[in-house]
Structures are given as structure tokens and as C-alpha cells.
Amino acid sequence: MDLFIRYILIGIGNGAVYAALALALVLIYRTTGLLNLAQGEMALFSAYLSWWFTTHGVPIGLAIAFSILLSMIGGAVIERVLIRPVTAPGKSHLNVLIVMLGMFLAINAISQLLFSTDAEPMPKPWPSVSSPGDPVGRSARLLDIGNTSISWAVGALALTLIGLCLFLYLLLQKTKLGLALRAVASNPASARMVGINTSAMLMVGWALAAGIGALAGSMVAADRGSVSPGLMTVVLVYAFAAAALGGFDSPVGAVVGGMIVAIAESLTIGYVDALSTIELVVPFALILLVLLVRPTGLFGRRVVERV
Amino acid sequence: MSSPDPAAPTTAPPTGGALLEVAGVGVRFGGVVALDGLTFEIQRGSICALIGPNGAGKTTLFNVISRLYPATSGSVTFDGRDLLKVPPHGIARAGIARTFQNVALFPGLSVLDNVRVGAHTEGRVGFVRGLVGLGWPENRRMAAESMSILERLDLAHLASRPAAGLPFGTLKRIELARALASRPKLLMLDEPANGLTHAEVDELAATIHRLRDEFDLTVLLVEHHMAMVMAISDHIVVLDFGRRIAEGPPEVVRNDPKVIEAYLGTADDGDGGP
Amino acid sequence: MNRTTVRVVVGVLVAIAVLYAPYYFEPVWNRELSRAAYFAIAAMGLNLLTGFNGQISIGHGAFFGVGAFTSAILVDTHGWSFEATIPAAAVLAAVVGVLVGIPALRVKGLHLALVTLGLAVLFPRVGQKYIDGAGGVALVRPKRREFDSLLSFLADDQWQYLETVLIAALLFLLAWNLVRSRVGRAMIAVRDQEVAASTVGINVARVKVGTFALSAAYAGIAGALSVMIDRAADATNPLLAFRNSIEFLVAVVIGGTATITGPAVGALILVLLRRHTDGLIEGKEVLSPAIFGAALITMIYVLPEGIVGGLGKLFGRLFPARAAVPATAGAAGPDPSTTTTTPTEEEP
């Protein structure tokens, strides 16, 4: 039983990360209709950025905050400069796809060029216990359940996710900005006609997604203890699986999907030996299954085209 | 509003029985009833117009006949066969062709090719024959036939241009040419006068008549341009809220109080119609 | 100096250059050019599916792998002559293409891209399970002599180059035939307006699955040829299928979607780019993906219709046609600025 709880807890911790990145994916999908393949690498850049701040004496919490801010600016710029010129309603997604592939490669490489090609230690924004030879340390215990314990990592990640959801909910449902964003996501032409600056809203959407990605990336790095070039590639696949499962246009789905994918992964790896060596089969198979059997996922809405 | 005065129809009112029989057709989308027990017939060789306020279900019916929407109840018989059993790509072979409200041409093909695609069911070359090059003779034949249709619609000079970036009225004529390419028995026009100038509407009315005679067609149109409808239709069916509220030749329908009410509301209504 | 004359002259010059190349170049270069040739075949296949038929696939590396592995196994373990394995590779790849194409009917656009990507990644794992089960070897390396030149005056590398290039030329010709035919028009119609396409009588599902199968067959043939050139087929390297898938797509887009010569141009550029950006700057190996990525993005801005598409427009302005340009560009969607016209042959 303790083992089971442990797997669940690991799942929750990972799930929070997948869900956060999936939220970023959903945000961009809702506002621009695109699946951003470069989201993971953008998050990687942000994680490296957080690390960079810490090497200059900034405490980790503040470092992450700065990184989020700068990433948001970066996200807006990317939308305006790279994405906007190749997207238009009705145009094929091919050119955008190539641009995103280019971004995927370039952002990863630029991260390595600007920051580091190695794995760099990442401090934790929550209590940790260090030991000689392990300067970054492992997460401290938060709570005890039976014979196992919940580590601060899981607690912090879960809390972060909750906070993120709350923030997004308040922003999107309770503010004018959120209303404008939702309007543009739903019908850009009409939104423009009622005076909403559609261009700005698209940039805001990408900025928010980049900020969320920055948070997710930094948390992943903190949890793992280091930032490395390959940090987010795998996470992105899981995030896509989460978003697909939940329905690409559903924030609730992203969170639920993230949890399901992570817990399923954790239990599978824990209990089924044969699958433990096959990386990425679970998320990709899930993506295939969802998209082919029920493309709208668990919570997505069907869009019917008018003839 | 001046009435278009096309050349007087050269054929007498149609004989030959019903080409299309719509019987008790109902369509529901979730809780919304788009069509409710709709019944009417179209006689061979006639020009039949479907009119009604916005949201009355006209395009829905069009889409049911062209098999883009399923009917939740009722039957549609075309030329003696059960149309509701035919898949969407089967209606062309059955003898039905249609145009779309917002002009659904293929911008990646030239004008000539758009018309040639319209004649898809007249061809036989598939992947294998296409690959090895056995499709060329058929190509030439189809090109000749398509060009003759374009000539009849005064579009031959545009044959090699892409079917995009042209004036709206021209695009509609191209779509008409494409519809004619499949040698249909029933030609369905979805708001053909939409977006046309006065002169173009007159021309359209004359064209529809001419094509009906030259190609031996039956025509069903959805239309809001009342003057044109009244002028060219042999038969009018009026819909409101998914039901048929009136039917008959133009003179009868024009004076039917239910029709007037549907469009304009009664004297007591504060709000007017469309 | 009208269009047709220019076309013919350019065509002849290119043909001469292509045929003379193996005598002029060192074996190492012949190998690169051969690579470009089979790459072009795969790109052409993908172009049929994505450019002409509008179904985005980032999974063609899997079909390529099927073809490669089939050919390698047949030559190595079952003693087939290499040339005979090419049709087998094509057929097998086509079958897999159908198996993918049918479920693919349910998804569109970027979702389809995601599904095909998943297939490209999963396929090697499935392949691994199959091979392990059959007690086979994942990496097959047929012996050199299987691919020896059959003509005494041609060295091995020259022979292989010519075989590859001639097969490529044939496949391109077939594709050109197809695109100009009734089915080709149906493919494009389905891409542009699926609903209207079904209204004019096109069986959309059949066209989509058929195109998938055909494009997979092309990729399979390319895979088979790669066995001759690279003398190896690795079924289980997931990175390979993934990388190939992406590169095929890039070649299609850079060359020019929905054009006939585009895939060849794109393939050539890609193979050359690969060779040149690997290890471009000492000590900064990570720079090459950065340059590659930046180059991709730049290309899309400067030439959104790819090289052939862009050149086609320039050509159209230098040599205005009374008749037409046989290049149906416009996979980018309803864009009236692209030149799309019918070939001269058909106009009465």
C-alpha cells in the first residue's frame, strides 16, 4: 500500500508539471489554434534563465519570477515576429509547422550557446536537505502518511499548479483582459469588430503561455535538481499527451489529463516491468489513441464547420 | 424594386412527374429542430424556389438533399430512388449538382480544372491509370467538354487562370459551370443572387432560364431576392421555423397572408421581419 | 524565347548535368548525390500527400524505414537480388500506408501531424518487438557485392548513382502524370474544399487513403534505395525515423509544396546543408542545429512557396504565358497570388 501511495505521489508531482505545460499548450491553442511544438524548448530557455539568475546571486524564488517576466516578453515577441507572418485563417498549417520546427532547434541551440551545454545544478524554491557531494540537495519531508512521506517537492508542485489554475481562472473569467482573450479565441473577426485589439491579444496569449512554460520549466529543473539541454523534450511529449487527453481547448482537461498521464505512467513503470525500458511509448500511444478514437478528448468541445 | 423581365420561358409548365419528393423530413441538432415534417415535390423541368426568413431551414434542407446532413426522420426520393441511402459523394452520380452560398471553388486549380473536376463522375481514370499516363486522352476529352461549358457561360477567356482573386459574380458563374459539368438532372443553387448587382441579377435570371432549357434541367434554388424569385419560379415553397407554411405558383404565394406574416410580422408585432 | 523553349532548354541542360555527374565526381560525392536522389523520391511521395492532398505527415520516416528494412532483409537473409526487392518494399510500405491512412481520416491539420509523429516514433519500437520475436537482427548490413555494378564500364558508385537517379526520374514522371490526371485534380480538390469535393462526386475517403498509400510507397522505394547507397538498414533507431520524417517535410516545404520539381530541389539542398552544417564551427557543434533552425525560418519568410514556387512566380513575370505553367502551387491554401494553371497540352 505504501508503494502505491508513493507511486501516486510521484504521479501527482509529475502531473503538476505536465499539467502546467499542457495549460500553456491549451492557451496557445485556444487563442491561435496552433499546437506549439516549441513550447518545451521555450520552457527550457526559461529554466536556464532562472538558473543564470541564481548564478548571479539572485535567490531562486526571485530568479524564477524574473525569468517568468522576461519569458512573457519573449513569448509576445515570438508571436509577433515569428508566428504571425506565417499564420492566417484558412491557410495550411505547413509553414507554421516548419517555423515551429526551426524554433525548436534554434531555441534549444541558443539556450546551449547562451547558458550552458552541461547539466547545471538548480536550487529548489522549497525546503531541502543537502549533504556533502549533493549541494543542491533533496527535497525535505513535508508530511508523513503511514510509512511514506510526502516530500516538499510534490507539495510545492501541487500548490504551484493550484495557484496557477486559480490565477488563470481569475484572469480569464473575472477580468476585462480575460474576456478579451476569450473573445479573440472564440471569434477573432467579431472580436476585432467590437474594438478588441486582436493583435495585442494574440501576443498576450503567447506571453501568458510562455510565462506558464517558464514556471513549469523552472519547477521541473528544481525538482530534478539540474537544468540540462534535454530537460524538456520528454516533458513536452507528456504535456501533449495530457492536452490531447483533456481536449486541446480545455484548461480543465489539461489539468485532469496531466494527472492521469502522470499517474498512469508512474503506476505502469512501477508495476509493469516490461514497459519500464520503453520510453515515451505510453504518452505517444495515448496521443494516438485519443486523437483517433475521440479527437476532442475528455473535455474538449466539438467544432462543427458551417458549409 | 424593378422586376427582372427575362425572355419569356420557351417551355410550357413542366410535365413528367416529380423528380424530387421530400416527405416528412425532419432534422434535429441536439435540442434544436431545424426541419419539422417537411413535405413537398419538385416537378421535372420546373424551377422551384425555397424561400423563408433567415433560420427557416432552407440551407438545412439543401444540405439534407446533398447528403451533407443526415435527416432524423422522413424520406427523400430522387428520380425514383431513396436518396437518404446515398453517401455524400454519390449525389453527383445520381444526378444532383449544387452551388454553395459562399462559393466553394478550388483555388488551387485553374478555372478549367475546376470545371473538369465538376465532371469527375464522367471520368474513369484512377490512381493506377493516372500514374502510368493513361489519363491523357480522357484529360483532353474532359477539357474540350469543360471548355464548351465555359464558353456558354462566357468564361472561356479565364480558363487557365486560378479560380481565385476574381470578382465575386464571376466566381459564382464558374461554380455554376462546375455544377453543370456533371450533367445533372437537378441543379441546386444556394442563394445565387447573393452579392450580385442589379444588372447581374437580371443576367442571372436569364441565364437560369436558358440553362434550364439548354441542359434540360430541373432547378431548385434558395433565394432571398424576391423579385427574381417571383419572376422566374414555376413553383415556390415557403418555409418558416422548419415547416412549410405555403406553397404554389408565385401569384398565389405572393398574396398568401401567412407568408407576409412570416416575413413582416402581423400588424400588432412591434418588431418587423428580416 | 517563349516558356516552352526555356523549359526544354533548362530540362536538357539539367539532364546532361545529371547524367554526366558520375564521371566527373569522386565516389564520395556520387554517394551524396545518390542520397539526394533517394531523398527526393521520399520527398516527392510526401509532397503528393501533404502538398497536393493537404494531409500533413511528420511520419514518413516510418514508411522509409519499412522499405529499407524489407529490402535489407530480403537481400541479406533471403538472397533476393536487390532490384527485385524494390517493388516488395513499395508494396509493403503501401500496405502500412493504408493502415495509417484509414484512421488518419478522422483527424486534420496539426492534429494529423501529431498522430503521424507518434507513429514515426512508435514504429521503431514496434519493429523492435517484431524483430526480437522473430529472433532477427535490428541492424542489417548487406554485403557490398550485392550491389555491384552490372555494367563493366561503370564503377560501383557510378552504377548505383545512375540506378537511383533513373528510378527517381521515372517516379517523378509518374507523379507528374498523376497530378495532371483526373485523380490528381481530385486530390487537390479534396485539399482545398473537402465538402465541395464530395459534392462533385469525389470519394474523399478513397482519395485520401489512396494518396497515403501511394506516398508511403514512394517513401518505401526511397528506403530500399537507401540500403544500396548506405548499405545499412536500422529498424530500431527511433531518432532516425524521427529525423528523416522532419527532413522529408522540410525538403518538401523548402523546395515548394505542390510542385513537381520542388521535392528534388529541396532534397538536394537538404543533403548539402546536412553535410555542410555538421561540424561547421570547431568547438561549437551545437551551432549547427541553431543555424539549421534559423535557416528554416528565414527560408519560409523569404520564399513562403518554397524555391520552385518562388521561382515559378519570377518565371511567370519574365515569360508571361498565354498558355500555362504546369505547376500547381498553393498548398498554403486560398491564396490568389500563387500561379495555378493548367498545362498547355490540354487546351484545345
Side-chain angles (χ1 to χ4, degrees), chain C residues 114-137:
Chain C
L114 207 55
V115 166
T116 51
L117 181 62
L119 286 162
V121 172
L122 286 185
F123 158 75
R125 320 263 183 198
V126 172
Q128 179 163 39
K129 280 259 138 38
Y130 167 73
I131 291 160
D132 288 347
V137 172

Side-chain angles (χ1 to χ4, degrees), chain C residues 43-90:
Chain C
M44 182 75 237
L46 182 59
N47 192 22
L48 286 174
L49 183 69
T50 298
F52 287 102
N53 193 230
Q55 301 188 70
I56 303 182
S57 164
I58 329 183
H60 266 53
F63 303 128
F64 183 90
V66 168
F69 200 71
T70 304
S71 178
I73 284 282
L74 288 175
V75 166
D76 196 55
T77 315
H78 300 272
W80 284 39
S81 90
F82 171 69
E83 282 72 20
T85 66
I86 297 179

Side-chain angles (χ1 to χ4, degrees), chain A residues 38 42 78 82-83 99-108, chain C residues 297:
Chain A
M42 286 165 68
I78 287 179
L82 292 181
I83 302 292
V99 168
M100 289 199 285
L101 281 173
M103 272 167 56
F104 187 104
L105 294 170
I107 293 180
N108 184 300
Chain C
I297 297 179

Side-chain angles (χ1 to χ4, degrees), chain B residues 37-98:
Chain B
L38 187 58
T39 300
F40 69 94
E41 282 179 6
I42 304 181
Q43 300 296 317
R44 266 173 226 278
S46 69
I47 297 179
C48 176
L50 262 181
I51 66 175
N54 278 324
K58 311 184 292 294
T59 303
T60 307
L61 179 66
F62 247 49
N63 289 338
V64 166
I65 297 175
S66 48
R67 301 295 295 120
L68 297 172
Y69 291 171
T72 26
S73 58
S75 74
V76 177
T77 311
F78 178 75
D79 205 13
R81 46 198 289 219
D82 180 1
L83 196 63
L84 295 183
K85 286 214 181 353
V86 175
H89 64 269
I91 65 163
R93 203 173 288 274
I96 301 178
R98 71 166 283 182

Side-chain angles (χ1 to χ4, degrees), chain C residues 38 85 96-97 133-134 139 147 189 242 281 311 316:
Chain C
Y38 74 63
T85 66
V96 179
L139 176 61
F147 308 109
F242 179 66
I281 297 179
L311 280 182

Side-chain angles (χ1 to χ4, degrees), chain C residues 27-299:
Chain C
V28 115
W29 269 108
N30 282 340
R31 212 159 293 275
E32 284 300 313
L33 291 175
S34 307
R35 239 168 237 130
Y38 74 63
F39 217 84
I41 294 175
M44 182 75 237
L46 182 59
N47 192 22
L48 286 174
L49 183 69
T50 298
F52 287 102
N53 193 230
Q55 301 188 70
I56 303 182
S57 164
I58 329 183
H60 266 53
F63 303 128
F64 183 90
V66 168
F69 200 71
T70 304
S71 178
I73 284 282
L74 288 175
V75 166
D76 196 55
T77 315
H78 300 272
W80 284 39
S81 90
F82 171 69
E83 282 72 20
T85 66
I86 297 179
V91 167
L92 213 62
V95 168
V96 179
V98 170
L99 292 177
V100 174
I102 292 179
L105 291 172
R106 302 179 57 110
V107 279
K108 287 190 185 31
L110 287 174
H111 293 220
L112 178 59
L114 207 55
V115 166
T116 51
L117 181 62
L119 286 162
V121 172
L122 286 185
F123 158 75
R125 320 263 183 198
V126 172
Q128 179 163 39
K129 280 259 138 38
Y130 167 73
I131 291 160
D132 288 347
V137 172
L139 176 61
V140 182
R141 295 185 150 274
K143 305 186 214 343
R144 260 196 79 120
R145 57 181 168 72
E146 307 285 357
F147 308 109
D148 277 353
S149 167
L150 295 181
L151 295 174
S152 56
F153 58 90
L154 285 178
D156 288 345
D157 61 288
Q158 294 172 327
W159 158 260
Q160 291 168 8
Y161 166 85
L162 277 177
E163 186 175 339
T164 313
V165 163
L166 287 175
I167 293 180
L170 177 66
L171 289 174
F172 269 67
L173 180 67
L174 294 187
W176 184 68
N177 277 334
L178 183 73
V179 166
R180 297 281 162 262
S181 74
R182 171 180 172 263
V183 170
R185 287 188 287 273
M187 282 163 59
I188 297 172
V190 165
R191 174 196 78 196
D192 285 350
Q193 290 277 1
E194 203 173 297
V195 174
S198 73
T199 297
V200 300
I202 296 172
N203 185 333
V204 171
R206 200 188 289 176
V207 168
K208 281 180 151 183
V209 174
T211 310
F212 229 107
L214 184 65
S215 88
Y218 268 63
I221 294 177
L225 288 169
S226 79
V227 172
M228 172 171 71
I229 307 295
D230 303 324
R231 261 178 289 116
D234 188 350
T236 59
N237 183 349
L239 236 51
L240 197 62
F242 179 66
R243 193 172 93 146
N244 279 339
S245 299
I246 306 254
E247 289 188 340
F248 295 153
L249 189 63
V250 170
V252 169
V253 177
I254 289 196
T257 42
T259 62
I260 295 295
T261 44
V265 172
L268 192 62
I269 291 186
L270 210 62
V271 167
L272 293 177
L273 212 65
R274 228 203 245 174
R275 197 176 168 73
H276 279 274
T277 56
D278 277 348
L280 187 60
I281 297 179
E282 285 302 309
K284 287 273 182 190
E285 285 82 27
V286 88
L287 199 58
S288 56
I291 295 178
F292 191 69
L296 276 183
I297 297 179
T298 317
M299 278 237 59

Side-chain angles (χ1 to χ4, degrees), chain A residues 29 35 81-82 85-86 90-95 97-98 101-102 105 109 112-113 240 248 278-279 284 288 291-293, chain C residues 50 56 103 106-107 110-111 115 118 121-122 125 246 249 253 257 286-287 289-290 292-293 300-301 304 331-332 334-335:
Chain A
Y29 185 77
L35 298 176
V81 172
L82 292 181
V86 282
K91 265 191 132 89
S92 143
H93 286 147
L94 211 48
N95 284 359
L97 189 59
I98 300 294
L101 281 173
L105 294 170
Q112 295 188 52
L113 284 172
F240 261 107
F248 279 104
I278 304 184
E279 226 184 67
F284 265 121
L288 283 177
L291 286 182
L292 295 178
V293 172
Chain C
T50 298
I56 303 182
R106 302 179 57 110
V107 279
L110 287 174
H111 293 220
V115 166
V121 172
L122 286 185
R125 320 263 183 198
I246 306 254
L249 189 63
V253 177
T257 42
V286 88
L287 199 58
F292 191 69
I300 295 294
Y301 291 136
D335 185 340

